[in-house]
Amino acid sequence: MQSPDVSNKRKTTEISLEAAANLPLQQSAAPGQQPEPISLTDSSLYINRELSQLAFQCRVLQEACDESNPLLERFKFLSIVGSNLEEFFMVRVAGLKRQIESNSLIAGADGLTPSEQLDAINSEVIRLLSSAQDELRDSLLPALKASDIHIFDYAELRAEQKLEVDEYFLQTIFPVLTPLAFDPGHPFPHISNLSLNLAVLIRDQDEEERFARIKIPDSLPQLILISASPPGEPTVSGKRSFCYIWLDELVRANLEVLFPGMTIVDAHTFHVTRDADVEIQEWEADDLLEATEEGLRLRRFGDVVRLQVNNDMPANILEILMSNLQVEAYDVYLVEGQRPLSHLKHIAAIDRHDLKYPPFVPAIPPELNPDAQDHDIFSAISRRDLMLYHPIDSFAPVVNFLNQAAKDPNVLAIKMTLYRVGKNSPVVEALLNAIEKGKQVAVLVELKARFDEESNIEWARALEREGAHVVYGLLGLKIHAKVALVVRREGDKIRRYLHLGTGNYNPTTAHLYTDLGLFTCDERIGADVTDLFNYLTGYSAKRNYRKLIVAPINLRDSMRRLIRREIEHQLSGGRGHIILKMNALVDEQIIQHLYEASQQGVKIDLLVRGICCLRPGIEGISENIRVISILGRFLEHSRMFFFANNGKPEIYCGSADFMPRNLDRRVEVLFPVEDAKLARHLREDILESYLHERGNAWLMRADGTYTLIRSANPSAPVVS
C-alpha cells in the first residue's frame, strides 16, 4: 500500500465532493464480463494494519503542511507525527521484531509476514520522515522566523547573547549534566528510552580518541529564551521578538567545560526508541499491582528498536552506537535535524497566541449548570436523559455529578471505572471526598493502561489508603469501559444514576478530544451496569444484558446481528443503511460482515479516523462502502454506531473500536441512545456534519490511499 505523497501541499491532493462521486472503482473483470467470485478471506481485500497506521501519520503530517492552520499549531501536528511514530516503534515494530525472533511466519489477513511488514514499514517511515523534515526546513522554520520567533545556532548569537547563555549554562545546566565515559574501565552507559543524547568524541593529552555520552536532561527547558534584538530595532511582524537556543545546542557549545584539558573532536545527537510493550505475565503474578510495577521497571531496559542519528554522523561514531546498542543497519534512521520531531512540541508551546487557534471555551448545558438557582443534577437527570458532546460541552458537569454524589446524604454508593485520568485528577478527588463522607466507593483502576500505568498505580494506592474498594483489572482483560454509577436513596426506593461515555474520565483530554457522555437513570440500563460491576468485582458468568452491549461477552455477536438485520431489511425491499464512527477498523470478521452487507446493497458509511484495514469501492465486494477519515483541531475520539433498522433507527455509543483486542480482550460497553431528541441530534446534526465535512475529510480509495475532499459548492450533496 502506498500512502499519499506527503511532500505535496494539500492543494495538490484535493478532490471535490463532486469528483469524489465519480472515482473509479477497482475493477475485477473486463467490461462485459462477470467478475470472478472472490472469497471474503482473500488477502487482497485487506490493508495491512501497520501500513494503514503510517498512512494515518501522513494525514496528520498534512495538517502540518496546511497553511490555513495557525503556525504554532502546524508545529504541534508535526510533533504529534513524531510522538505517534515513537509509540508505533515502541509497540508495533517491537512486536513484529519479537515475532521474527521466535521464527514466526504467520501472516495476517493481508497476507504479509512479519519480515515483509518490517521491510514495508522501513521504506514508508523513511519517506514520511523525509517529507516531515522537508516541511520543517522549507516552510515551517522560515515562517517561524518571519513571525519574529528566532531559534539560533550558538555561532549565530551576538557576543552579549553568548555571554548570557554561557552564564545560564554554568549556573543551571552544568550542575545537572553527567558525562559518561566509555573505555575498558567504564562500560557503555545505559541509554534511556526516548532520551536525547550527545555522542562526543574527544582527544586526550596522549592523542588517544575517547568516546563519551551526555544525556540532555529533560527536566530543564528544551528551548532557552535569550535576549531579543536590541531596543528600537524593528521586528518583522510588529510583535515582540522571541529568541531561543535549543538546550542540546548550548550543551554542545560548552563541551570544553565538561571535558577540561581535552580536545573536542566531534559531537552529534542521537535518540533511541526501546521496546516498551512489556507483557505482564498475569497468570504468574500473585499481585497484579506488583507485577505491573515490575513490568514498568523492565520497560526501561527493553531492546532498542530504532536508533535515530543526524545524517552527517561519522561512520566511526555510528559504529560505536550500533555495536553497543545492538542494532542492525535497518534499525538506524538517518534524519536531517538534530532532534526528534516530538521535540517540536516545545516550539508549539511558545507564548504567541496570535499563532495558535483562537481560545475555545466549552459550554455547560443549562440543565447541568451548577450556578443555576436550585440546581440539582439528579433532578435534571431524572426528568430526561442528558448528553454531553465534548469539547463543545464542558467536562465540568461530569465532575459536578461526582461532587454532588459525594456531598448528597441520600447517596449510598459510587462505582466507577478509571482507565486514563491524568494527574491532579478532580475525578479522583471527588471519589476521595465521597469516601470521607462515608459513601461506599468501588473503583476499577486499569493498571495496564499503556504508558499511564505509573499514574494509575499512584491513584489506586491513594484510593485504597482512604478505604475505597479498588479492583486492579481482570485476568487477561483490560477494563476500557467508561462507566460511573451512583446509587441513591429516594424515599423508600433506590434509584441508580449513570454516566456512560466514549472517552476517559480526564478533564484535559475532554478539552482536546471529541467524545460523548450520557447521563441517565434508566432502570434497565442501571440494572445492566450493576450486573457489569458485579462481573468486574466479583464472580459472575452472566451472558445476557438488557440494553448494554458488553465486550468480550456479546459485542461481537451483537454487531453481527445488527449488520445481518440491515441485510434482511435490504433484501425485503427496505433501504439498509449503516453508519459507524470509530478510531480503528481492523477486525477481520467484522470487515467480512460489512463486505457481505455491501454485496447485498446495504449502504455503509464508515467514519474511521485512523487505521482501516477494509478496502472500499471494490466491485462486487464493497462498492456500497465509503470510508472517510476526519482530522482537525480536535482529536476525533467518539464512537457512534447507527443502524437504520427500516425506519426505526437504533444508535449506540461507547468505548470500543473494532479491533480484535476491543472485541475479545477488553471490557467495553456500548450503550443505546433511546431518547428521541438525543438520537435525532446524533444522527441529523453530528453524524451528518461528519458525512458532509469538506475541510478536514479524507476519502479512502480501494488501494488504501486517501484524498482530501473539497467542494467549490458549499451546498453540494454528500458523496454517495
Side-chain angles (χ1 to χ4, degrees):
M1 181 197 73
Q2 294 296 313
S3 305
D5 183 356
V6 295
S7 63
N8 295 329
K9 296 295 187 286
R10 275 189 162 186
K11 62 184 180 182
T12 64
T13 59
E14 296 171 3
I15 62 170
S16 68
L17 285 169
E18 296 81 358
N22 298 312
L23 283 176
L25 300 176
Q26 177 174 307
Q27 298 296 318
S28 55
Q33 294 181 345
Q34 289 295 322
E36 291 291 328
I38 184 171
S39 169
L40 295 185
T41 61
D42 191 287
S43 62
S44 67
L45 298 181
Y46 299 89
I47 291 171
N48 178 263
R49 180 197 195 282
E50 319 307 346
L51 298 182
S52 182
Q53 173 71 297
L54 292 177
F56 171 61
Q57 305 314 321
C58 290
R59 300 196 295 282
V60 178
L61 176 54
Q62 285 286 1
E63 293 296 318
C65 297
D66 185 359
E67 295 178 0
S68 68
N69 285 326
L71 179 58
L72 294 185
E73 304 295 347
R74 294 168 64 191
F75 276 94
K76 182 194 71 176
F77 281 115
L78 205 53
S79 75
I80 290 172
V81 172
S83 58
N84 285 351
L85 282 178
E86 288 169 353
E87 183 170 340
F88 179 76
F89 273 85
M90 285 190 287
V91 179
R92 303 306 306 177
V93 172
L96 290 171
K97 284 179 172 289
R98 285 198 301 273
Q99 291 182 50
I100 292 172
E101 290 169 2
S102 64
N103 297 316
S104 172
L105 297 176
I106 299 175
D110 57 276
L112 294 179
T113 65
S115 59
E116 289 171 335
Q117 291 181 64
L118 278 184
D119 288 342
I121 286 169
N122 181 268
S123 61
E124 286 293 303
V125 170
I126 289 173
R127 194 163 68 89
L128 178 61
L129 288 174
S130 176
S131 296
Q133 291 293 341
D134 289 348
E135 178 65 21
L136 180 63
R137 180 192 63 243
D138 298 337
S139 179
L140 291 178
L141 290 177
L144 197 69
K145 186 175 181 179
S147 300
D148 283 321
I149 298 176
H150 307 275
I151 301 179
F152 292 117
D153 291 335
Y154 184 83
E156 297 176 304
L157 298 179
R158 301 191 309 272
E160 66 270 22
Q161 290 177 321
K162 288 181 179 179
L163 289 173
E164 176 188 341
V165 296
D166 288 346
E167 180 65 20
Y168 178 81
F169 174 83
L170 291 173
Q171 295 296 324
T172 304
I173 303 172
F174 177 68
V176 180
L177 299 177
T178 306
L180 295 174
F182 172 52
D183 56 36
H186 300 85
F188 191 82
H190 172 72
I191 309 298
S192 52
N193 187 32
L194 303 183
S195 61
L196 184 63
N197 307 269
L198 279 176
V200 185
L201 201 61
I202 60 176
R203 188 178 296 116
D204 62 18
Q205 296 92 333
D206 299 324
E207 297 298 311
E208 291 286 334
E209 288 193 348
R210 305 290 186 184
F211 177 89
R213 172 260 189 160
I214 301 172
K215 179 179 178 180
I216 304 301
D218 54 14
S219 57
L220 294 175
Q222 299 299 299
L223 271 178
I224 301 165
L225 183 66
I226 56 180
S227 294
S229 303
E233 185 172 308
T235 61
V236 176
S237 66
K239 302 284 185 179
R240 173 189 170 195
S241 180
F242 288 74
C243 298
Y244 296 92
I245 186 171
W246 284 105
L247 174 60
D248 63 280
E249 173 71 11
L250 184 54
V251 172
R252 192 197 327 268
N254 284 272
L255 288 175
E256 291 84 356
V257 181
L258 290 159
F259 302 100
M262 304 288 177
T263 301
I264 308 301
V265 178
D266 215 345
H268 295 268
T269 56
F270 68 96
H271 180 261
V272 301
T273 310
R274 292 184 177 273
D275 179 353
D277 195 26
V278 177
E279 185 176 354
I280 299 170
Q281 305 298 327
E282 298 176 52
W283 53 89
E284 297 178 4
D286 295 325
D287 188 315
L288 184 57
L289 183 63
E290 291 180 3
T292 304
E293 289 179 312
E294 175 64 12
L296 289 176
R297 190 189 69 81
L298 293 175
R299 180 182 286 168
R300 295 177 52 231
F301 302 100
D303 293 340
V304 175
V305 293
R306 181 175 64 159
L307 169 62
Q308 281 188 284
V309 301
N310 57 306
N311 52 20
D312 60 350
M313 177 179 281
N316 59 328
I317 297 181
L318 181 57
E319 173 58 31
I320 292 172
L321 294 176
M322 290 178 62
S323 60
N324 287 279
L325 294 172
Q326 298 181 329
V327 297
E328 302 295 334
Y330 53 77
D331 297 319
V332 178
Y333 287 81
L334 303 177
V335 296
E336 183 177 332
Q338 297 288 338
R339 311 137 213 99
L341 291 176
S342 57
H343 275 217
L344 296 177
K345 67 184 179 182
H346 302 293
I347 295 179
I350 290 174
D351 187 20
R352 276 286 297 274
H353 294 290
D354 58 309
L355 300 178
K356 299 181 181 182
Y357 289 127
F360 178 82
V361 179
I364 298 179
E367 306 97 321
L368 296 172
N369 190 342
D371 296 329
Q373 189 175 8
D374 299 326
H375 172 73
D376 180 351
I377 196 167
F378 299 115
S379 295
I381 298 171
S382 67
R383 287 192 289 271
R384 68 178 184 89
D385 290 355
L386 300 169
M387 178 161 279
L388 297 172
Y389 179 40
H390 309 299
I392 306 300
D393 293 324
S394 171
F395 188 75
V398 180
V399 177
N400 184 47
F401 174 65
L402 296 170
N403 281 330
Q404 283 206 25
K407 295 183 292 185
D408 190 330
N410 293 315
V411 168
L412 305 176
I414 303 173
K415 301 183 182 184
M416 195 169 186
T417 61
L418 297 179
Y419 191 73
R420 300 186 196 275
V421 294
K423 299 183 182 297
N424 304 316
S425 171
V427 168
V428 179
E429 289 299 326
L431 295 174
L432 292 171
N433 290 337
I435 298 168
E436 186 178 333
K437 298 292 185 181
K439 318 299 182 188
Q440 180 171 296
V441 175
V443 187
L444 294 102
V445 181
E446 181 46 75
L447 297 182
K448 304 184 292 296
R450 186 183 288 126
F451 306 126
D452 275 73
E453 298 98 336
E454 197 167 349
S455 173
N456 286 4
I457 287 171
E458 291 177 5
W459 284 127
R461 284 185 163 149
L463 287 162
E464 206 163 37
R465 279 196 304 268
E466 297 303 316
H469 302 297
V470 180
V471 177
Y472 303 124
L474 296 176
L475 186 66
L477 296 173
K478 281 187 178 180
I479 301 173
H480 192 244
K482 325 296 183 184
V483 182
L485 165 67
V486 171
V487 181
R488 189 170 188 262
R489 182 193 296 112
E490 297 182 354
D492 58 354
K493 295 182 179 180
I494 296 295
R495 177 171 273 187
R496 288 170 282 213
Y497 292 87
L498 308 156
H499 176 270
L500 304 102
T502 67
N504 295 305
Y505 288 107
N506 185 325
T508 301
T509 55
H511 195 71
L512 303 172
Y513 300 177
T514 67
D515 269 308
L516 292 160
L518 176 72
F519 288 111
T520 184
C521 57
D522 182 281
E523 291 185 5
R524 297 178 70 190
I525 294 179
D528 276 349
V529 170
T530 297
D531 289 338
L532 173 70
F533 277 109
N534 290 340
Y535 163 63
L536 296 175
T537 62
Y539 296 103
S540 172
K542 186 176 181 62
R543 306 294 300 177
N544 59 314
Y545 286 84
R546 301 159 187 84
K547 290 189 176 182
L548 296 184
I549 298 176
V550 179
I553 295 171
N554 65 352
L555 176 53
R556 185 180 289 282
D557 287 343
S558 295
M559 284 300 112
R560 180 190 57 78
R561 173 181 57 80
L562 291 168
I563 294 170
R564 170 56 56 183
R565 187 179 66 185
E566 292 303 307
I567 294 175
E568 292 171 354
H569 289 318
Q570 182 72 25
L571 294 177
S572 300
R575 299 180 63 184
H577 189 193
I578 298 170
I579 307 173
L580 306 178
K581 181 180 184 295
M582 65 196 83
N583 301 324
L585 173 58
V586 175
D587 188 78
E588 184 178 356
Q589 292 181 36
I590 295 291
I591 291 173
Q592 288 174 13
H593 297 326
L594 294 172
Y595 282 155
E596 291 170 357
S598 173
Q599 287 177 315
Q600 299 302 328
V602 176
K603 179 183 177 182
I604 301 171
D605 288 303
L606 300 178
L607 295 159
V608 185
R609 182 195 75 209
I611 303 168
C612 182
C613 297
L614 175 148
R615 293 185 185 271
I618 301 176
E619 184 181 1
I621 302 292
S622 58
E623 66 263 51
N624 292 306
I625 301 178
R626 174 177 54 158
V627 179
I628 294 174
S629 173
I630 307 286
L631 280 79
R633 175 175 181 174
F634 302 114
L635 181 75
E636 288 299 330
H637 192 254
S638 59
R639 291 97 165 182
M640 288 177 267
F641 310 93
F642 169 85
F643 300 89
N645 193 27
N646 203 30
K648 300 177 182 178
E650 290 186 11
I651 188 164
Y652 291 84
C653 302
S655 59
D657 295 311
F658 286 171
M659 306 172 75
R661 70 184 188 189
N662 301 94
L663 296 162
D664 303 323
R665 301 189 299 277
R666 288 187 174 190
V667 176
E668 307 275 11
V669 168
L670 267 57
F671 53 91
V673 179
E674 297 182 320
D675 179 274
K677 183 178 179 181
L678 295 180
R680 187 166 57 252
H681 173 60
L682 290 180
R683 172 67 184 93
E684 297 180 2
D685 298 330
I686 296 178
L687 285 175
E688 277 300 313
S689 70
Y690 285 124
L691 295 175
H692 287 79
E693 173 63 40
R694 287 160 172 76
N696 298 295
W698 294 82
L699 186 69
M700 183 181 181
R701 297 177 186 250
D703 63 356
T705 60
Y706 286 78
T707 309
L708 185 67
I709 300 175
R710 292 290 199 194
S711 176
N713 177 10
S715 62
V718 68
V719 181
S720 59

